[in-house]
């Protein structure tokens, strides 16, 4: 399996051309991810899929236990630490729009089993999509003013810590997609046949694809493939240090810098 630049998203950011003009030195994060995950490109998808189809998620038992321990400690600690903020958000949601505080939709979990994922409600109650299949777009009229703020900093996703405690999710893993996820009107597994392999492990609140910039609405085949490549690369090259980097960078980018959607 060949090695290449970390991801298409970062290649575009670096502005690489045939002459090499405009190329910036890779950051420590680029170097870390390339070293840990091999800098996989879409051309590597078939090899990744073949490897995982034959071998599965080859995570040592000790690493699995440690990961689950980190999930429980992190989710429980996060809920306790953030309780005042969670209560304020719940109060503001009830005070600014009609409807429940939480919004839940069916998502695909480990082994392809569906589960009910929680979020703070960010849309008007009569305009939301209970299936979660319809993507949110820029300036979406369904989103409340408060919801836009919550989504910008990914605060709407904090209730997923309860899903982590229940064992439905992990702090880090492939993002939890809605049941019946579509790519340009076509089921994801038909658009990218290797897609079901991402369900070998628990879905995560954040993940490698999100860190690489492949999040939000899936708009084309390239985006759909890139996401799956990142998900399978994460499963193939999992380590606790990789999880810690993903968590720290996600917190810095989304909760503090406000780069959520």
């Amino acid at each position: 399996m060949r090695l290449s630049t970390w991801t298409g998203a970062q290649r575009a950011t670096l502005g690489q051309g045939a002459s090499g003009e405009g190329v910036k030195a890779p950051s420590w994060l680029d170097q870390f991810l390339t070293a840990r995950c091999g800098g996989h490109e879409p051309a590597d998808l078939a090899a990744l899929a073949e490897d995982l189809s034959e071998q599965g998620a080859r995570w040592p038992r000790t690493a699995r236990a440690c990961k689950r321990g980190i999930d429980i400690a992190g989710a429980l600690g996060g809920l306790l630490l953030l309780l005042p903020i969670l209560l304020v958000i719940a109060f503001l949601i009830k005070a600014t729009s009609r409807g429940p505080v939480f919004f839940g939709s069916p998502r695909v979990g480990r082994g392809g089993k569906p589960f009910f994922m929680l979020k703070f409600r960010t849309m008007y109650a009569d305009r939301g999509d209970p299936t979660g299949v319809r993507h949110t777009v820029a300036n979406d009229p369904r989103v409340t003013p408060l919801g836009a703020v919550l989504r910008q900093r990914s605060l709407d996703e904090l209730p997923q810590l309860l899903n982590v405690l229940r064992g439905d999710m992990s702090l880090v893993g492939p993002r939890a997609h809605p049941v019946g996820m579509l790519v340009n009107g076509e089921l994801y597994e038909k658009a990218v046949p290797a897609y079901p392999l991402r369900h070998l492990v628990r879905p995560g609140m954040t993940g490698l694809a999100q860190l690489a910039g492949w999040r939000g609405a899936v708009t084309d085949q390239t985006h759909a493939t890139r996401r799956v490549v990142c998900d399978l690369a994460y499963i193939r090259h999992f380590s606790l240090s990789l999880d810690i980097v993903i968590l720290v960078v996600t917190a810095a980018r989304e909760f503090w810098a406000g780069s959520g959607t």
Side-chain angles (χ1 to χ4, degrees), residues 165-216:
L165 274 182
R166 285 169 49 89
D168 299 324
M169 298 177 64
S170 176
L171 293 176
V172 180
R175 293 275 287 180
H177 286 179
V179 175
M181 179 81 164
L182 300 177
V183 178
N184 291 332
E186 184 180 31
L187 286 174
Y188 211 130
E189 52 265 39
K190 290 187 177 181
V192 185
Y195 175 77
L197 290 170
R198 68 193 299 280
H199 302 138
L200 285 170
V201 299
R202 289 186 181 94
M205 290 183 65
T206 183
L208 194 58
Q210 181 170 337
L211 200 69
W214 301 107
R215 63 167 297 172

Side-chain angles (χ1 to χ4, degrees), residues 8-9 42 45 135 177 181-184 188 191-192 195 209-210 212-231 261:
L45 179 59
H135 295 298
H177 286 179
M181 179 81 164
L182 300 177
V183 178
N184 291 332
Y188 211 130
V192 185
Y195 175 77
Q210 181 170 337
W214 301 107
R215 63 167 297 172
V218 181
T219 55
D220 53 47
Q221 183 71 31
T222 298
H223 188 161
T225 302
R226 288 282 186 182
R227 273 195 178 190
V228 175
V229 169
C230 287
D231 291 337
T261 58

Side-chain angles (χ1 to χ4, degrees), residues 1-30:
M1 191 179 299
R2 67 181 177 85
L3 300 183
S4 51
T5 311
W6 163 225
T7 66
Q10 289 177 333
R11 288 173 68 185
T13 301
L14 293 176
Q16 290 179 322
S19 63
E21 295 180 358
V23 178
K24 299 178 182 178
S27 67
W28 70 267
L29 181 59
D30 299 338

Side-chain angles (χ1 to χ4, degrees), residues 3-210:
L3 300 183
S4 51
T5 311
W6 163 225
T7 66
Q10 289 177 333
R11 288 173 68 185
T13 301
L14 293 176
Q16 290 179 322
S19 63
E21 295 180 358
V23 178
K24 299 178 182 178
S27 67
W28 70 267
L29 181 59
D30 299 338
Q31 296 177 32
F32 176 85
L33 294 176
T34 299
R36 288 291 181 179
C37 298
H40 294 294
E41 290 288 302
D44 302 323
L45 179 59
L48 275 170
E50 181 181 0
D51 181 68
L52 291 174
S53 295
E54 294 177 355
Q55 305 292 334
R58 292 169 291 184
W59 297 3
R61 184 175 299 179
T62 302
R64 288 178 181 268
C66 288
K67 180 176 174 65
R68 183 58 187 151
I70 292 172
D71 284 344
I72 294 172
L76 187 58
L79 287 169
L80 293 175
L81 182 65
L82 298 172
L83 183 59
I85 296 175
L86 299 175
L87 292 175
V88 169
I89 292 174
F91 172 78
L92 291 175
I93 291 173
K94 292 298 291 184
T96 56
S97 64
R98 295 181 179 180
V101 169
F102 298 106
F103 170 81
S105 63
R107 301 293 172 116
V108 183
R110 184 172 60 176
K113 297 180 180 179
F115 70 97
F116 204 64
M117 190 181 77
L118 289 174
K119 286 187 175 185
F120 280 125
R121 180 176 59 83
T122 58
M123 296 185 179
Y124 294 101
D126 59 346
R127 303 182 194 176
D129 175 17
T131 67
V133 172
R134 182 181 173 187
H135 295 298
T136 306
V137 297
N139 301 315
D140 197 313
R142 300 175 298 161
V143 178
T144 66
L146 174 63
V149 175
L150 297 179
R151 297 176 73 92
Q152 183 182 28
R153 296 191 177 275
S154 298
L155 295 174
D156 60 314
E157 300 191 2
L158 291 177
Q160 292 171 32
L161 291 170
L162 294 171
N163 288 114
V164 174
L165 274 182
R166 285 169 49 89
D168 299 324
M169 298 177 64
S170 176
L171 293 176
V172 180
R175 293 275 287 180
H177 286 179
V179 175
M181 179 81 164
L182 300 177
V183 178
N184 291 332
E186 184 180 31
L187 286 174
Y188 211 130
E189 52 265 39
K190 290 187 177 181
V192 185
Y195 175 77
L197 290 170
R198 68 193 299 280
H199 302 138
L200 285 170
V201 299
R202 289 186 181 94
M205 290 183 65
T206 183
L208 194 58
Q210 181 170 337

